[in-house]
Every structure is written in structure tokens, then in C-alpha cells.
Amino acid sequence: MTAIDGSPLAPAQVGVKRLPTDSLHPNPYNPRRLFDKEPFETLKASIAKVGILVPLTVYWEAARENYVILDGQRRWMCAKQLGLLEVPANQVGEPTLVQNIVTMFQIHKLREDWELMPTALTLGVLMGELKETRVKALATLTGLDQAVVVRCRKLLSYPKRYQDMMLDPDPAKRVKADFFIELYAVISDRNVRRLHWFQRNQFTQQMLGKYSAKGIRAVTDFRVVKQHINNAVKAGQVREIGRRLKQFAEAPKLGVEHLQIPLAGQRAEVRSLLMVIEKLRAHLEVLSVEKVYGEEQLWGELEKLMKLISSKIREADRRIR
Amino acid sequence: MPQESPVNDARIASWIERFGGYRREVGQPEIEAWLRQFRDNRDVGARLLDATEFLTRNDLEVAFREVLGRLPGWSAKETERSGRWFFVSFSASAGESGDSMVHVFRVANQLTHRRFNANFVYKSDLPSLRPGGEDTVIFIDDLSGTGDQAIRAWEENLQELLPERPRVILVVAVAGWKAVERIQERTELELWAHQRLEREDDLFGPECQHFSSTEKEAVLALCRRASRAMPKGYGDCGWLLVFQHRCPNNSVAVLHSSSSRFTGLFPRD
């Protein structure tokens, strides 16, 4: 035991064994390889002062005959850096593959800045082992947010060669998971899939080409693509959007504006406006004037709205009946 | 130090013969235009070309054959191999060097038969294949210059993809001394290279005796014209190395970089 461990500030350990620091190994399924420096240093300072207060959780790995950390890797790393010869540890039974992956997911909450593809692949292993594909069940099991599980499943739906693009060692060449997640909405669109020329992998390849040629400037452009498709479908312009989408896919530098069918866009705008008007009318019909008699701001806004509506009606050469 | 010799047709023809297979046209007009940029130091430019190592696809095949041949535990016969062996492209982007290197590697080692298909896998296959302590995973690339990419890849995802800790090897045709030292120090990857570039291969280093310090300064000034950011090449490697499929960015900037003030002979794009 070192001087730090013997600090009078540290309570005595009861029912916990002490293991040589060097005899422990990090958990191979721990997704946390890199730790934020600041909280790590804070923890290290605390351990230097009072020792490790919360014992690590470890298991004995029979195949390799060594202890593996189930919980407490940061504490163990601090202990190593501080030169502590022993650490307190609770030993539990050796987990199965599934138990191990689930535990690691539960303990190490996913951070937003982590690359999602490695997590998706581990989730894929879990799905295979458990034959479980339901989003809610997987989210409950792993502690991952349902939205994250959905994103992972989208990534896993791509062929391996595209999955590998998200694992490229060069960050400048690595294709972000968001690219494939946003693209998913387009390639899984029912109307797009029905287009006679559409092939999912070829289209994906074309979109990657467009992304590097700046025909697609940001991954969020796929939302615009999807919106144009939706507008066209609602306006009965499926053939036209299919034709434009083919041209868009084949020409690397052609921008998303090419997909805007004026009539379709206009109809969508009209539909959206009608919905707002209907909502407002419903509110006004039940409005009790007595109750809001003194609400000056409301009356002011209604007057402005009335003037605006009148001017638009006049502009359209229509008479107010 | 080599004697000055004239830049005549025969010398240009020898360069064309060596560099002619580069992915972009390297003919007499390109070479002459490149040398003109050296002005009074035309001879130094010519000697740079003489000293440049140009590795063809055939050279890479030889390299990959040699490296796999000396890897302990490997045999083309499955029954004579220890554990399972998986070969994976280190770089995944389509058309990138690592991607095409797997094909070169396969051809070089006569592993193109379909019975070897199961040995050549995607990186994203690894978690489900679960290679363990008895198995070997070999990542293939053409070059490791400083080791930056390998270290980053190891820290960011390779460990996570290989939780059962198989033996992990990075096979490259050429490795710089920095890569060898740093990868060994910071990862559990074994780096196996056919050729190792040493300190004397850094054109600007004191160990390089091929050019005088005055000549080095003249070259560096031109390199700065070609690339202000990385005149000596990525990681200040200062190499004179060109692959037929692409000039590495670790090579000196006059070889591959272009700006409004200088045009490289071996553009990377």
C-alpha cells in the first residue's frame, strides 16, 4: 500500500479485496478509449488526496487468466499514473459476451462527439447474439436513447463498403455517419424506391460523388431533397420528380434546387397556408370578445392582419364579399 | 556529392522511362517545365529527379510478397496456419491507396482464388467475426510515414473493433523511422514494412549527404513556393519518394504540390 492509500482521509475498506494495479486489464468492450483531460485530472487529484473511495468492479477472465475491469477504468488509469501498487476491487462472475456488451453500454453513456459507426457495429453484434431488432427493446437493454438505436440501425443497413468509409483512419477522408443517416430518408422513400431506374447502392455512390463535387454542400441537403420529393408526390408530380432526381444523381455538381418543381413547391406552400388559416379561423370563431376586451396587443395584431389580408385580396383583383 | 551532369535528351529520356507510368502525364514538356522553375538551380532539380525513388505496382507486389513471406504463422494452406487470418484495407475510402493496395497484395501473394475470399474482409466485418487471441488481423496500406494515422485509428476505432485482442499487424511497402518508433510506443499494432526510410532519407536533415546545405536551402525555398504549409512534406519527412499510383504527401513539396508560384511534377489529385 502506498502513502496515498494510507491517507487518514480514506475510510477503511470492508469486504473488498485489494488487487495489484498491474494485474488488472481494461475491458475490451469498453467503448471509452479516450477520456476528457479535465475531469480525468480532477479525479486523479481526488484519488491522490483520499485514495480510491469507490472500489472497482472486476471479473476473472479464465481464458487469459487475468482480471478485467467491468467498471472503474478511469480510476484504474489514475491509480496507474499515480503509481498506486494496489486498488480496491469487488469481484463478480465472468460475464457472457452479451452481458459484457450490455454492461459496457449501460456504464459508458454514449457521447455526442463519438463516432457512431463503431457503436453501431457493437450494437449489431448484440442484435445478432440476442436475435433482437426492436428499437425499444434495444434501447432499454443498452441504455442508449431510442433515437441513437434508430440511427445505428440505419447505419447497419448500408453495405459493408459504405460502413468502412465511416471507419477511415484519416478524419479528412472519413465520411461522417450523419451523411448516411440523412441520406437514408431519401433512399428508403417508397416513391423513390419505385422509380424504375433507382438502385440503392448506385444512388448512394452517386450521392458520395456529389458530396465531394459540392453538388451536395451539407448533409442536411438530403432533407431538402426529401421535402422536394414529398411536395412533388402531393402535387401528383411523381414522374417529373423522378426525372429530375435521376438528372440530379447523374450530374455531380447539380444542386438540390434542380429538384424544385415550381408548381409542387407552390402547392405545398398553399396547403401549409390553408392549414394555418383554418386554425386561426377556428380560434377566432370561439373567441369571446368580452374576455379579451382589454387585450390591446391582440386587437392591434388583428387589425394589422385584416389590413394585410385586404391588401392581398385587392392585389389579386378579388372583391371582398 | 554527385558531380554536375548536363540535362540532355538522354537524361530526360531516362526520367520519362522511370516516371512515365505515373497516374498523371509526366513527359518531356512536363519535366522541362518543372526544371525551368529551378532557374539557376536547374542542376539541383535534375539531381532531385535522379534521387527520387519511384515505386511501381510491380515493386509493391514484390514488397507485399516479401513481407507476407516472412510473417510467422502464415501459410497459404489453411491447415498449416495458426489461427484465423483476416486481411483488411487500412484506408477505406473508395479509390484510396489502402483500398487498391488490398488488390495488389492479393495478386502479389496469389490469394485471388475464391477460397481466400473469407480471409479478405471489411473493417466493419471485424466485430461480428470476433477475432481472438489466436487470430491475426492484417491491415494493408502502401505507406506509413509518421504513424499519425495508424495511432489515431488505433485510438479511435481499431481497439473497439477488435475487443478480443487478436494479433494486429499493419503491413506497408514503405515505413518511415518515425512511424516505426511511434507506432511501437503508442499502439499494440505490429508494423511490418518491406522498406524503412531512415533519417538520411530526409533531404533536409543533416544526415543527408546527397545535397550540400546551400542546395538544400535552394530546394527548401522552392518547396515553400509550392506549399507554404508543408514545404518539407507531411511530418517534415523530406522524402524523395513517389508511388506510381500517387505521390505521398510526406515527400518534399516540389514533387507534388502546386500553387500560383510553383507546379509540382507529380500532382496528387
PDB file of all heavy atoms in Angstrom, chain A residues 280-296:
ATOM      1  N   LEU A 280     -56.475  29.424 -37.429  1.00  0.00           N
ATOM      2  CA  LEU A 280     -56.756  30.771 -36.925  1.00  0.00           C
ATOM      3  C   LEU A 280     -58.265  31.034 -36.911  1.00  0.00           C
ATOM      4  O   LEU A 280     -58.808  31.580 -35.949  1.00  0.00           O
ATOM      5  CB  LEU A 280     -56.037  31.809 -37.808  1.00  0.00           C
ATOM      6  CG  LEU A 280     -56.203  33.266 -37.398  1.00  0.00           C
ATOM      7  CD1 LEU A 280     -55.591  33.528 -36.015  1.00  0.00           C
ATOM      8  CD2 LEU A 280     -55.553  34.194 -38.414  1.00  0.00           C
ATOM      9  N   ARG A 281     -58.938  30.614 -37.983  1.00  0.00           N
ATOM     10  CA  ARG A 281     -60.390  30.825 -38.059  1.00  0.00           C
ATOM     11  C   ARG A 281     -61.115  30.095 -36.926  1.00  0.00           C
ATOM     12  O   ARG A 281     -62.016  30.631 -36.301  1.00  0.00           O
ATOM     13  CB  ARG A 281     -60.923  30.359 -39.416  1.00  0.00           C
ATOM     14  CG  ARG A 281     -62.305  30.932 -39.711  1.00  0.00           C
ATOM     15  CD  ARG A 281     -62.762  30.610 -41.093  1.00  0.00           C
ATOM     16  NE  ARG A 281     -62.809  29.161 -41.283  1.00  0.00           N
ATOM     17  CZ  ARG A 281     -62.722  28.577 -42.473  1.00  0.00           C
ATOM     18  NH1 ARG A 281     -62.560  29.294 -43.556  1.00  0.00           N
ATOM     19  NH2 ARG A 281     -62.787  27.269 -42.574  1.00  0.00           N
ATOM     20  N   ALA A 282     -60.655  28.885 -36.665  1.00  0.00           N
ATOM     21  CA  ALA A 282     -61.264  28.090 -35.584  1.00  0.00           C
ATOM     22  C   ALA A 282     -61.114  28.812 -34.240  1.00  0.00           C
ATOM     23  O   ALA A 282     -62.047  28.858 -33.430  1.00  0.00           O
ATOM     24  CB  ALA A 282     -60.624  26.720 -35.528  1.00  0.00           C
ATOM     25  N   HIS A 283     -59.932  29.411 -34.042  1.00  0.00           N
ATOM     26  CA  HIS A 283     -59.697  30.171 -32.805  1.00  0.00           C
ATOM     27  C   HIS A 283     -60.627  31.384 -32.727  1.00  0.00           C
ATOM     28  O   HIS A 283     -61.237  31.661 -31.697  1.00  0.00           O
ATOM     29  CB  HIS A 283     -58.247  30.669 -32.760  1.00  0.00           C
ATOM     30  CG  HIS A 283     -57.296  29.665 -32.211  1.00  0.00           C
ATOM     31  ND1 HIS A 283     -57.332  29.224 -30.921  1.00  0.00           N
ATOM     32  CD2 HIS A 283     -56.267  29.012 -32.794  1.00  0.00           C
ATOM     33  CE1 HIS A 283     -56.366  28.341 -30.726  1.00  0.00           C
ATOM     34  NE2 HIS A 283     -55.705  28.191 -31.867  1.00  0.00           N
ATOM     35  N   LEU A 284     -60.698  32.111 -33.856  1.00  0.00           N
ATOM     36  CA  LEU A 284     -61.483  33.354 -33.863  1.00  0.00           C
ATOM     37  C   LEU A 284     -62.975  33.088 -33.682  1.00  0.00           C
ATOM     38  O   LEU A 284     -63.681  33.859 -33.047  1.00  0.00           O
ATOM     39  CB  LEU A 284     -61.229  34.118 -35.170  1.00  0.00           C
ATOM     40  CG  LEU A 284     -59.846  34.751 -35.299  1.00  0.00           C
ATOM     41  CD1 LEU A 284     -59.654  35.358 -36.684  1.00  0.00           C
ATOM     42  CD2 LEU A 284     -59.617  35.818 -34.226  1.00  0.00           C
ATOM     43  N   GLU A 285     -63.445  31.978 -34.246  1.00  0.00           N
ATOM     44  CA  GLU A 285     -64.870  31.659 -34.151  1.00  0.00           C
ATOM     45  C   GLU A 285     -65.324  31.470 -32.711  1.00  0.00           C
ATOM     46  O   GLU A 285     -66.430  31.795 -32.348  1.00  0.00           O
ATOM     47  CB  GLU A 285     -65.183  30.411 -34.992  1.00  0.00           C
ATOM     48  CG  GLU A 285     -65.374  30.754 -36.471  1.00  0.00           C
ATOM     49  CD  GLU A 285     -65.486  29.515 -37.357  1.00  0.00           C
ATOM     50  OE1 GLU A 285     -65.303  28.393 -36.841  1.00  0.00           O
ATOM     51  OE2 GLU A 285     -65.738  29.682 -38.561  1.00  0.00           O
ATOM     52  N   VAL A 286     -64.430  30.950 -31.890  1.00  0.00           N
ATOM     53  CA  VAL A 286     -64.828  30.705 -30.499  1.00  0.00           C
ATOM     54  C   VAL A 286     -64.328  31.806 -29.551  1.00  0.00           C
ATOM     55  O   VAL A 286     -64.454  31.701 -28.333  1.00  0.00           O
ATOM     56  CB  VAL A 286     -64.316  29.323 -30.013  1.00  0.00           C
ATOM     57  CG1 VAL A 286     -64.969  28.224 -30.795  1.00  0.00           C
ATOM     58  CG2 VAL A 286     -62.803  29.252 -30.106  1.00  0.00           C
ATOM     59  N   LEU A 287     -63.725  32.832 -30.137  1.00  0.00           N
ATOM     60  CA  LEU A 287     -63.154  33.894 -29.287  1.00  0.00           C
ATOM     61  C   LEU A 287     -64.265  34.695 -28.597  1.00  0.00           C
ATOM     62  O   LEU A 287     -65.201  35.170 -29.251  1.00  0.00           O
ATOM     63  CB  LEU A 287     -62.312  34.840 -30.159  1.00  0.00           C
ATOM     64  CG  LEU A 287     -61.571  35.930 -29.411  1.00  0.00           C
ATOM     65  CD1 LEU A 287     -60.383  35.351 -28.650  1.00  0.00           C
ATOM     66  CD2 LEU A 287     -61.076  36.999 -30.382  1.00  0.00           C
ATOM     67  N   SER A 288     -64.139  34.819 -27.299  1.00  0.00           N
ATOM     68  CA  SER A 288     -65.111  35.616 -26.557  1.00  0.00           C
ATOM     69  C   SER A 288     -64.576  37.036 -26.443  1.00  0.00           C
ATOM     70  O   SER A 288     -63.579  37.283 -25.764  1.00  0.00           O
ATOM     71  CB  SER A 288     -65.322  34.995 -25.165  1.00  0.00           C
ATOM     72  OG  SER A 288     -65.884  35.949 -24.312  1.00  0.00           O
ATOM     73  N   VAL A 289     -65.228  37.964 -27.121  1.00  0.00           N
ATOM     74  CA  VAL A 289     -64.741  39.356 -27.165  1.00  0.00           C
ATOM     75  C   VAL A 289     -64.708  39.964 -25.762  1.00  0.00           C
ATOM     76  O   VAL A 289     -63.786  40.699 -25.415  1.00  0.00           O
ATOM     77  CB  VAL A 289     -65.626  40.196 -28.117  1.00  0.00           C
ATOM     78  CG1 VAL A 289     -65.246  41.678 -28.077  1.00  0.00           C
ATOM     79  CG2 VAL A 289     -65.528  39.665 -29.537  1.00  0.00           C
ATOM     80  N   GLU A 290     -65.725  39.629 -24.977  1.00  0.00           N
ATOM     81  CA  GLU A 290     -65.789  40.168 -23.600  1.00  0.00           C
ATOM     82  C   GLU A 290     -64.543  39.832 -22.797  1.00  0.00           C
ATOM     83  O   GLU A 290     -64.000  40.658 -22.088  1.00  0.00           O
ATOM     84  CB  GLU A 290     -67.016  39.589 -22.897  1.00  0.00           C
ATOM     85  CG  GLU A 290     -68.246  40.451 -23.069  1.00  0.00           C
ATOM     86  CD  GLU A 290     -69.427  39.858 -22.303  1.00  0.00           C
ATOM     87  OE1 GLU A 290     -69.194  39.140 -21.301  1.00  0.00           O
ATOM     88  OE2 GLU A 290     -70.533  40.112 -22.734  1.00  0.00           O
ATOM     89  N   LYS A 291     -64.112  38.582 -22.977  1.00  0.00           N
ATOM     90  CA  LYS A 291     -62.969  38.124 -22.184  1.00  0.00           C
ATOM     91  C   LYS A 291     -61.672  38.818 -22.567  1.00  0.00           C
ATOM     92  O   LYS A 291     -60.775  38.979 -21.745  1.00  0.00           O
ATOM     93  CB  LYS A 291     -62.789  36.598 -22.344  1.00  0.00           C
ATOM     94  CG  LYS A 291     -63.730  35.797 -21.498  1.00  0.00           C
ATOM     95  CD  LYS A 291     -63.390  34.322 -21.611  1.00  0.00           C
ATOM     96  CE  LYS A 291     -64.419  33.483 -20.866  1.00  0.00           C
ATOM     97  NZ  LYS A 291     -64.256  32.058 -21.164  1.00  0.00           N
ATOM     98  N   VAL A 292     -61.543  39.182 -23.841  1.00  0.00           N
ATOM     99  CA  VAL A 292     -60.260  39.760 -24.284  1.00  0.00           C
ATOM    100  C   VAL A 292     -60.416  41.230 -24.650  1.00  0.00           C
ATOM    101  O   VAL A 292     -59.588  41.791 -25.380  1.00  0.00           O
ATOM    102  CB  VAL A 292     -59.687  38.964 -25.488  1.00  0.00           C
ATOM    103  CG1 VAL A 292     -59.325  37.549 -25.091  1.00  0.00           C
ATOM    104  CG2 VAL A 292     -60.668  38.966 -26.658  1.00  0.00           C
ATOM    105  N   TYR A 293     -61.450  41.825 -24.126  1.00  0.00           N
ATOM    106  CA  TYR A 293     -61.771  43.208 -24.492  1.00  0.00           C
ATOM    107  C   TYR A 293     -60.599  44.159 -24.262  1.00  0.00           C
ATOM    108  O   TYR A 293     -60.342  45.053 -25.057  1.00  0.00           O
ATOM    109  CB  TYR A 293     -62.997  43.658 -23.683  1.00  0.00           C
ATOM    110  CG  TYR A 293     -63.571  44.968 -24.145  1.00  0.00           C
ATOM    111  CD1 TYR A 293     -64.350  45.033 -25.288  1.00  0.00           C
ATOM    112  CD2 TYR A 293     -63.318  46.145 -23.431  1.00  0.00           C
ATOM    113  CE1 TYR A 293     -64.868  46.235 -25.738  1.00  0.00           C
ATOM    114  CE2 TYR A 293     -63.834  47.357 -23.878  1.00  0.00           C
ATOM    115  CZ  TYR A 293     -64.606  47.395 -25.034  1.00  0.00           C
ATOM    116  OH  TYR A 293     -65.100  48.582 -25.460  1.00  0.00           O
ATOM    117  N   GLY A 294     -59.894  43.968 -23.194  1.00  0.00           N
ATOM    118  CA  GLY A 294     -58.803  44.885 -22.840  1.00  0.00           C
ATOM    119  C   GLY A 294     -57.446  44.483 -23.407  1.00  0.00           C
ATOM    120  O   GLY A 294     -56.431  45.123 -23.119  1.00  0.00           O
ATOM    121  N   GLU A 295     -57.355  43.424 -24.213  1.00  0.00           N
ATOM    122  CA  GLU A 295     -56.058  42.962 -24.744  1.00  0.00           C
ATOM    123  C   GLU A 295     -55.667  43.784 -25.963  1.00  0.00           C
ATOM    124  O   GLU A 295     -55.887  43.401 -27.109  1.00  0.00           O
ATOM    125  CB  GLU A 295     -56.145  41.460 -25.116  1.00  0.00           C
ATOM    126  CG  GLU A 295     -56.360  40.532 -23.948  1.00  0.00           C
ATOM    127  CD  GLU A 295     -55.125  40.370 -23.084  1.00  0.00           C
ATOM    128  OE1 GLU A 295     -54.017  40.751 -23.547  1.00  0.00           O
ATOM    129  OE2 GLU A 295     -55.247  39.880 -21.958  1.00  0.00           O
ATOM    130  N   GLU A 296     -55.064  44.915 -25.710  1.00  0.00           N
ATOM    131  CA  GLU A 296     -54.742  45.854 -26.784  1.00  0.00           C
ATOM    132  C   GLU A 296     -53.847  45.250 -27.868  1.00  0.00           C
ATOM    133  O   GLU A 296     -54.037  45.489 -29.059  1.00  0.00           O
ATOM    134  CB  GLU A 296     -54.047  47.088 -26.188  1.00  0.00           C
ATOM    135  CG  GLU A 296     -55.004  48.165 -25.712  1.00  0.00           C
ATOM    136  CD  GLU A 296     -56.060  48.548 -26.760  1.00  0.00           C
ATOM    137  OE1 GLU A 296     -55.697  48.944 -27.873  1.00  0.00           O
ATOM    138  OE2 GLU A 296     -57.243  48.392 -26.467  1.00  0.00           O
TER     139      GLU A 296
END
